Amino acid sequence: MAKKKGIYFEGAEKTENGLKFKGVILEPIVENCNGCERIAEFEGEKYCTSYARPAAKWRNGACNFATHVKATIDKTGQVKLNPLKASKRAARGR
Ligand code: SF4
């Protein structure tokens, strides 16, 4: 995968509705996205490099493209987020 260094959203333009990039309006990331490697910044605002509307990706559980968490669903149907780094660290310590 290409490294997201420097300005990812080069040529993007801020509009009333969101960030316009290559003809698509991008909405800022949501809280659950924090820590994901697909985030890139543009003028102090964070956007997802994979999805135009991050909020929609989290509406029915966890984003399936998130690089920082793995979602599981428990018996009650609740979505549980397992931070990936923490679990990797735990595995190494064993
Ligand atoms: S890939 Fe998913 S979790 Fe990551 S920034 Fe985009 S919407 Fe958020």
Side-chain angles (χ1 to χ4, degrees):
M1 206 207 314
K3 263 252 173 206
K4 306 209 168 55
K5 276 211 161 173
I7 304 173
Y8 180 83
F9 296 114
E10 209 180 334
E13 187 194 337
K14 275 196 173 175
T15 72
E16 265 178 33
N17 304 320
L19 186 70
K20 195 173 177 196
F21 182 58
K22 293 183 178 169
V24 178
I25 299 288
L26 306 181
E27 291 173 9
I29 58 152
V30 292
E31 210 187 319
N32 283 334
C33 294
N34 278 316
C36 180
E37 285 172 19
R38 293 178 201 271
I39 295 173
E41 253 188 67
F42 184 79
E43 291 182 359
E45 198 91 62
K46 290 178 181 159
Y47 300 91
C48 174
T49 57
S50 299
Y51 291 107
R53 297 172 59 218
K57 289 305 294 177
W58 286 93
R59 202 161 291 146
N60 302 311
C63 172
N64 56 333
F65 261 62
T67 62
H68 59 314
V69 289
K70 190 175 188 312
T72 51
I73 295 175
D74 71 11
K75 286 180 206 113
T76 63
Q78 287 278 319
V79 175
K80 295 217 163 199
L81 299 180
N82 308 314
L84 282 182
K85 276 183 191 145
S87 62
K88 265 187 216 149
R89 232 177 281 136
R92 232 180 285 134
R94 237 174 265 148

